[in-house]
Amino acid sequence: MTKVHYKIIVVLLLTINTLLSNTYRSYGQNCGCTVTFKKSQAVNGVNILDGRKAPYNRLKPGNTLCIQAGNYKELRFINFRGNGGRPITIKNCGGRVTTQNGINILGSRHVKFSGAGTSSIKYGFKVARARGTGLDVKGLSSNIEIENVEIQNTGFAGIMVKTDPQCNQPKTWRKNFTFYGLKIHDCYIHDTHAEGMYIGYTGGFERSGKKCGGKPIFGHLLKSVRIYDNLIVRSGWDGFQLNLAVQDVQVYRNTVIGYGTKRVAYQNFGWSIGGGTRGKFYSNFIYQFNAYKKTGNPQNLKSSGVQVISNQDTFFYNNVIVNSERHGIFIHNRLSSNKLNFREGYHFANNTIVGSGNSGIFYNAASTLRREEKLNWRRVFYNNLVVAPKIRHERNRTWKSRNENFVDFNTQKMLNKAKSNTRNNVYLNSIGEAKFTRPNNLIIDARNYQLTNGSRAINAGLNNARSFGVSADYNEARRTNTFDAGAFEYGSSSLRGGKLRVEAIATRAGNRVNFQFKFNKGGQASIVVEQLNGARVQQLYTGRIAAGTRRLDWKNARGGLYRIKIRVGNQEVSKIMKV
C-alpha cells in the first residue's frame, strides 16, 4: 500500500467517524434527549439503567432519557425520580425499540414512559416476548404514565402495576404506601398468557389473604387513575383487571376483543373490577369470540363480559358488551355494610349488551362475610339496551319472569327493592329487533351496534342519568333532552374532532373482502392488513386520500384475525377484523 493510499484511507475513516459522531449528537438533539442509552452500550441480558448512577444521575425533573432504536434483550429502569408536573421522560428515539424479555420499572416516581418518540411509529416500544410480564411496574413505584407501547407473547400479564406487601418490608403495606397518579393510554396488548392489564393487588380489600406473624397485612391502594384508548386482543386470562383503585378513577375508550383464551376458571372475564374500587367506567367495548367459550362447563365456571366485585361508588355507562359467555355484566356486592357509604351506590346506565349467554345484567348483593342483602344500598339501572340474551327464565317455574332474562337479581326481595331504580331499559329478544347499523360487519367495532331508524331504543330513555355524569354517548355526541337507550344516540357520528377517526365496513364475497372506509380528514395515507404481531399480509392502499368515503378490495383473502392499520399523516388508528 502506498503512502497516498494510506492517507486517503485515514481521511476516509476520520470523515466517517466525524459523520457518525455528528449523527449521534444530532440524534440526541432531534429527540430532545438529555441522556441517550445507545444500542452499542447494550448487553445480551438485562440492561439495568439506574437513576442513582452515572450518567443517569444527571437527569433532573423535566429531563429526557432516550433509548436508541434497536433490539434489546431486556430493559430495567430503577430509581428515576421526577416531580409533580415535571416527570422524567423515558422514550424511544430514531425508530422502534424492541425487547425480547420485557421491560421493568422499579423504585421510580414521576416517570413518563413513552413510545411516542418517533412520529411515524405508533408504538415506539415493543415487547416482542417475555418470560413473565411484558411491562412490569413495581418496587414502590408511583406517579407513572405509560403510552404508545405494544406488548405480545408474554408468559404472564401484558402490563402489571402493583407492589405486593411483604412481611419483611413494612413500607410495602397499605398503611405505609399509596400509589398515586397512574396513567396508561394508547397501548396495544395482544396474545398474553394471563391478563392484558393487571392493575392493583388482588389479595383483598376488606380482609386479607396474607398474614405476617399471625396478623393480616394489606396491599396498597391506588388513587388518581386514568386508563384510556388501549386495545387488548386475545388475552389468556382477563382482558383488564383493576383492584384497590379507590379515588379519582376513570377508565374509558378501551377495547377488549377476545379474552380468556386459556380457558382458566375465574380468570376469564373481559373486565374484572373489584377490591373496593370506586370510579367511572365509560365508553368501553368488550367483545368475545365463540372459540373461547367453554361449552358444557357449569354456569359458575363460565365467564362474563364484565365482573364487578366488592366495589364502592361505581358509575358504569355508555359501554358496549357483546357475546359474553355468561352474563354481560355480573355484579357482586361482597362488601359488608360497615365498609359501605350508603350515600353512594352502583349506577349502570345507557349500556348496550348484546347476545349474553345468560342474563344481560345480574346483581348479587350477598356478602361473603355474612348473609346480608344490603337492601338500602343504591342500585340504579337506567336506559340500558339489552338484546338477545340466551336465557329464558319464564320457561321455569320460579319467581323469575321474562324481564329477568335482561336484568336479573339473586333474590326476589332484592328484585322488589330495586324496581324503583330499574327504569327505561329496553329489552329485545333478537338482534333483528334492535335495528343495529351493521351487526354482520367483519370489522369488530362497537359502532356496529349504533341505532337505525325505527329502533325501539330511540327516545326510550330517561335524562335523569345526567345526574351522575351521562351527558354524551359513546361517540362523545351530546345527548338530547330525551335520551335514547343504550350507548349510542340515534344519528350520532364518530367522525368528529381533530384526531384521525375512521369508520370501516368489511364484507366478504367468496375469496374477496370489500372495504368501505370513511375518513374525517385527508392526507398522505397507508392502509395495511397485518397479522396481530405486525407481519404484513396485504397493502390495501398507499397515496393521498381525501376526507370522505373510499372503497377498496382485498383479493384472495384468507381466513384469520387481522389488524387493519390505517395511517393518515402522522396519526394512526387500528381496526380488528375477523375473516
Side-chain angles (χ1 to χ4, degrees):
M1 179 184 295
T2 68
K3 290 183 178 179
V4 173
H5 289 142
Y6 178 80
K7 287 180 179 179
I8 291 172
I9 291 170
V10 169
V11 170
L12 285 172
L13 288 173
L14 288 172
T15 302
I16 290 169
N17 184 62
T18 301
L19 287 171
L20 287 173
S21 298
N22 289 337
T23 297
Y24 280 125
R25 280 200 293 271
S26 63
Y27 176 116
Q29 292 166 0
N30 290 342
C31 291
C33 312
T34 310
V35 176
T36 298
F37 179 70
K38 298 174 183 176
K39 184 67 179 69
S40 59
Q41 299 171 259
V43 299
N44 186 27
V46 182
N47 293 278
I48 299 175
L49 285 67
D50 191 334
R52 296 173 302 186
K53 298 179 180 179
Y56 312 109
N57 57 1
R58 293 196 288 111
L59 292 165
K60 296 179 174 58
N63 286 173
T64 297
L65 167 61
C66 289
I67 310 301
Q68 184 182 353
N71 290 304
Y72 298 82
K73 185 71 172 179
E74 183 176 340
L75 292 171
R76 186 175 299 172
F77 303 92
I78 307 174
N79 302 315
F80 287 90
R81 301 292 177 104
N83 61 29
R86 301 183 67 205
I88 287 176
T89 297
I90 301 172
K91 69 178 183 180
N92 65 301
C93 184
R96 180 176 287 114
V97 172
T98 302
T99 72
Q100 303 300 323
N101 191 31
I103 299 167
N104 291 275
I105 299 174
L106 300 95
S108 297
R109 306 284 176 94
H110 298 284
V111 168
K112 180 177 182 178
F113 188 82
S114 174
T118 303
S119 61
S120 61
I121 298 174
K122 171 80 170 182
Y123 306 108
F125 279 103
K126 179 172 182 176
V127 176
R129 62 182 60 84
R131 288 192 299 271
T133 291
L135 175 49
D136 200 353
V137 180
K138 55 188 177 181
L140 297 170
S141 294
S142 182
N143 301 94
I144 303 293
E145 179 177 358
I146 299 167
E147 67 175 12
N148 297 90
V149 179
E150 179 181 355
I151 299 169
Q152 66 181 29
N153 301 329
T154 62
F156 195 62
I159 294 177
M160 186 158 64
V161 180
K162 66 189 180 82
T163 296
D164 290 347
Q166 304 296 326
C167 290
N168 61 350
Q169 298 182 51
K171 60 186 177 182
T172 64
W173 302 355
R174 181 181 299 175
K175 65 181 181 180
N176 299 321
F177 172 64
T178 299
F179 190 118
Y180 291 96
L182 174 65
K183 188 182 289 186
I184 304 174
H185 61 96
D186 295 287
C187 293
Y188 172 38
I189 302 169
H190 58 96
D191 299 301
T192 60
H193 181 87
E195 292 87 352
M197 286 192 196
Y198 183 164
I199 313 299
Y201 180 65
T202 53
F205 170 66
E206 185 173 4
R207 58 179 178 175
S208 177
K210 187 176 183 67
K211 291 185 177 181
C212 298
K215 296 181 179 180
I217 61 170
F218 295 83
H220 68 82
L221 303 177
L222 296 97
K223 297 180 179 180
S224 297
V225 174
R226 298 289 185 275
I227 299 173
Y228 58 94
D229 290 334
N230 299 290
L231 173 60
I232 300 172
V233 184
R234 288 196 310 212
S235 61
W237 294 7
D238 304 335
F240 171 75
Q241 180 176 274
L242 177 66
N243 288 277
L244 302 178
V246 299
Q247 180 179 302
D248 186 28
V249 176
Q250 293 188 41
V251 181
Y252 55 97
R253 293 199 309 257
N254 300 286
T255 294
V256 172
I257 297 175
Y259 50 88
T261 66
K262 301 301 180 183
R263 305 185 184 186
V264 177
Y266 309 114
Q267 301 282 0
N268 51 1
F269 298 93
W271 278 27
S272 182
I273 311 167
T277 293
R278 56 156 58 87
K280 295 183 177 182
F281 306 88
Y282 56 94
S283 301
N284 301 286
F285 178 45
I286 301 162
Y287 181 94
Q288 180 62 310
F289 294 112
N290 289 328
Y292 304 136
K293 297 179 180 180
K294 297 185 289 298
T295 305
N297 272 7
Q299 283 292 319
N300 64 348
L301 295 184
K302 294 186 176 182
S303 67
S304 296
V306 175
Q307 173 181 248
V308 178
I309 51 173
S310 305
N311 271 32
Q312 300 182 86
D313 208 20
T314 300
F315 300 86
F316 196 90
Y317 56 92
N318 288 346
N319 300 288
V320 180
I321 302 162
V322 179
N323 203 35
S324 51
E325 183 178 27
R326 197 180 181 199
H327 305 291
I329 304 173
F330 172 72
I331 309 159
H332 192 179
N333 188 351
R334 297 179 182 176
L335 297 178
S336 56
S337 293
N338 62 351
K339 277 288 182 181
L340 292 171
N341 178 349
F342 278 77
R343 291 173 293 180
E344 299 179 341
Y346 289 166
H347 312 81
F348 291 81
N350 287 98
N351 299 292
T352 297
I353 304 168
V354 182
S356 54
N358 206 307
S359 49
I361 299 173
F362 181 79
Y363 182 86
N364 181 357
S367 170
T368 55
L369 300 184
R370 58 181 69 88
R371 295 298 298 180
E372 55 174 339
E373 294 292 338
K374 300 178 285 288
L375 293 174
N376 293 325
W377 175 254
R378 187 164 66 230
R379 300 154 301 274
V380 176
F381 303 99
Y382 286 171
N383 308 343
N384 297 290
L385 174 58
V386 186
V387 180
K390 296 178 177 61
I391 195 73
R392 290 292 181 268
H393 286 302
E394 66 273 21
R395 296 175 181 173
N396 302 316
R397 295 182 180 179
T398 68
W399 56 269
K400 296 188 179 186
S401 67
R402 174 184 177 272
N403 282 356
E404 281 67 64
N405 299 335
F406 302 90
V407 179
D408 194 8
F409 299 88
N410 62 312
T411 66
Q412 189 172 16
K413 183 188 291 186
M414 179 57 68
L415 165 67
N416 292 332
K417 186 69 176 179
K419 277 182 178 178
S420 62
N421 279 325
T422 305
R423 301 177 60 189
N424 289 70
N425 302 293
V426 174
Y427 303 152
L428 302 175
N429 285 332
S430 70
I431 291 177
E433 292 178 76
K435 297 193 174 181
F436 290 131
T437 51
R438 43 183 185 267
N440 298 316
N441 190 3
L442 298 180
I443 304 290
I444 302 168
D445 194 322
R447 295 175 180 88
N448 295 336
Y449 304 94
Q450 293 187 229
L451 307 176
T452 60
N453 187 36
S455 173
R456 285 172 50 191
I458 298 172
N459 294 333
L462 284 171
N463 62 11
N464 351 15
R466 288 188 195 278
S467 64
F468 50 85
V470 185
S471 59
D473 74 349
Y474 186 99
N475 284 331
E476 300 178 359
R478 187 178 65 86
R479 289 193 180 268
T480 60
N481 288 332
T482 306
F483 278 29
D484 295 343
F488 296 97
E489 284 287 298
Y490 170 60
S492 75
S493 171
S494 64
L495 301 177
R496 305 165 63 250
K499 292 180 64 175
L500 174 64
R501 298 181 188 273
V502 182
E503 292 183 354
I505 302 173
T507 57
R508 187 169 188 175
N511 66 348
R512 180 193 298 263
V513 174
N514 301 311
F515 293 93
Q516 177 181 290
F517 297 100
K518 287 185 179 180
F519 299 85
N520 69 330
K521 61 192 305 182
Q524 188 66 28
S526 170
I527 306 174
V528 183
V529 180
E530 296 182 342
Q531 295 179 7
L532 295 191
N533 64 6
R536 179 170 297 194
V537 176
Q538 181 72 30
Q539 180 83 46
L540 290 178
Y541 182 83
T542 183
R544 291 200 64 80
I545 206 161
T549 301
R550 173 62 65 109
R551 290 179 170 83
L552 299 168
D553 292 336
W554 176 19
K555 299 177 183 178
N556 301 316
R558 300 179 296 278
L561 189 65
Y562 300 99
R563 174 187 173 216
I564 312 299
K565 186 171 73 175
I566 305 162
R567 190 168 190 87
V568 178
N570 284 330
Q571 296 188 49
E572 180 180 304
V573 298
S574 296
K575 303 288 183 181
I576 301 299
M577 176 178 71
K578 187 174 189 301
V579 178

